[in-house]
Amino acid sequence: MANVACIGECMIELRQAQGGQSSGQSAGQGGGLYSRGFGGDTLNTAVYLARLEVKVDYLTALGDDALSDEMIAAWTAENVGTRRVLRLPGKLPGLYMIQTDARGERQFFHWRENSAARRLMDVPETDEILNSLMGYDIVYLSAITLSIYTESGRERLLAAVKRARLLGTRFVFDTNFRARGWPDLDVARRAFAAAFETADIVLCSTEDMTTLYPGESHTQLMARIPAPELVLRLAEPVSLLRFPGGSSEVRAEPVTKPVVDTTAAGDSFAAAYIAARLADADPVEAAHAGHRLAGLVICYPGAIIPPYAMPPKRRHRSANSRQASK
């Protein structure tokens, strides 16, 4: 039985290739060459969890097309479980394109309105998927996950999480916030409040929270979150922790290599934090593990670093019981 269920969306990624512009075109103009990959915040976390020897399933919906087949094969190769991936006939994955201008600034374009993943909460198989959450030690999802569902879909998902929690499942919510995914900030704030009320552990950042609640201090932001265990990552490499019986400030060790790409820094932090908590590390130890992995990830291009770049594996007691995550 898998210990962690990650819920979300993986999309097709088109990234502008270096030197991909045709003669006479600037970096921001069309007609250049693009490389194709896959990307998604909760999928990134699932991959890093698997590399940290945590059993993990990815819960999403894909189409019955060749690109969806490629995704399944790639996830399987990373030891991410795919038994909870729905395949919807006639549907496709979402797509996003990254375009870079002459100054190296990135711009994102999305085509996801009709993606298969958005249907996960309203298909005949939804009840089976949601009932399966009771079989996991941890359910992990992000605000991006919530943003792809309708309001009724979000309510249905959180209701299932609450049922699972009655049997010992813990809910970890990551505040990864993208304003373009929400109709307005008030809708996002309501969804965040519902997730905060339900979560056992909240992983958040000032980047996310100050967009939703501008002008508030760190103390005020943390006071908004009733979850018993909370990690607030600051703009500098520091995390503020609150947990039953205490609080702490955890500072990341200096990064000794050049920072190449900050993509998936938060996703990898989440994976290392969850893996450490499942292995009976306390929140402070878990935050240090999160910072260490994130500090490695940002030294490589792209969301997923090469397997050889992963930190040495540490042997922990297997989380065979739900008590290992508490």
Side-chain angles (χ1 to χ4, degrees), residues 210-234:
T210 55
T211 304
L212 281 171
Y213 310 105
E216 293 196 358
S217 66
H218 298 160
T219 301
Q220 290 172 315
L221 293 174
M222 295 178 75
R224 285 187 171 275
I225 303 173
E229 188 169 328
L230 168 64
V231 180
L232 176 64
R233 299 188 307 276
L234 308 186

Side-chain angles (χ1 to χ4, degrees), residues 246-307:
S247 61
S248 184
E249 177 181 299
V250 175
R251 185 170 296 273
E253 297 177 3
V255 176
T256 57
K257 296 181 180 180
V259 175
V260 174
D261 187 347
T262 59
T263 302
D267 307 335
S268 56
F269 180 100
Y273 189 93
I274 292 169
R277 294 293 283 129
L278 279 171
D280 268 352
D282 63 36
V284 173
E285 293 173 309
H288 279 297
H291 280 302
R292 281 195 297 270
L293 183 55
L296 281 175
V297 169
I298 62 177
C299 297
Y300 293 85
I304 306 298
I305 64 176

Side-chain angles (χ1 to χ4, degrees), residues 148 223 254:
I148 69 174

Side-chain angles (χ1 to χ4, degrees), residues 15-21 33-35 100 301:
R15 179 185 293 269
Q16 195 169 44
Q18 290 186 343
Q21 289 75 39
L33 299 177
Y34 287 80
S35 61
T100 308

Side-chain angles (χ1 to χ4, degrees), residues 149-291:
Y149 306 134
T150 62
E151 184 172 357
S152 62
R154 290 192 287 271
E155 291 174 353
R156 192 175 182 183
L157 173 56
L158 290 179
V161 170
K162 290 176 182 178
R163 293 194 298 271
R165 291 180 72 244
L166 295 176
L167 296 178
T169 299
R170 305 192 81 193
F171 173 38
V172 181
F173 177 61
D174 193 319
T175 63
N176 201 3
F177 177 69
R178 298 293 181 271
R180 60 179 175 271
W182 299 91
D184 59 60
L185 290 182
D186 286 337
V187 172
R189 291 184 186 113
R190 289 195 297 270
F192 271 61
F196 290 157
E197 289 286 345
T198 308
D200 297 283
I201 301 174
V202 171
L203 306 176
C204 62
S205 68
T206 52
E207 180 182 5
D208 296 331
M209 295 293 287
T210 55
T211 304
L212 281 171
Y213 310 105
E216 293 196 358
S217 66
H218 298 160
T219 301
Q220 290 172 315
L221 293 174
M222 295 178 75
R224 285 187 171 275
I225 303 173
E229 188 169 328
L230 168 64
V231 180
L232 176 64
R233 299 188 307 276
L234 308 186
E236 61 267 30
V238 175
S239 292
L240 303 181
L241 277 62
R242 185 188 71 215
F243 46 87
S247 61
S248 184
E249 177 181 299
V250 175
R251 185 170 296 273
E253 297 177 3
V255 176
T256 57
K257 296 181 180 180
V259 175
V260 174
D261 187 347
T262 59
T263 302
D267 307 335
S268 56
F269 180 100
Y273 189 93
I274 292 169
R277 294 293 283 129
L278 279 171
D280 268 352
D282 63 36
V284 173
E285 293 173 309
H288 279 297
H291 280 302

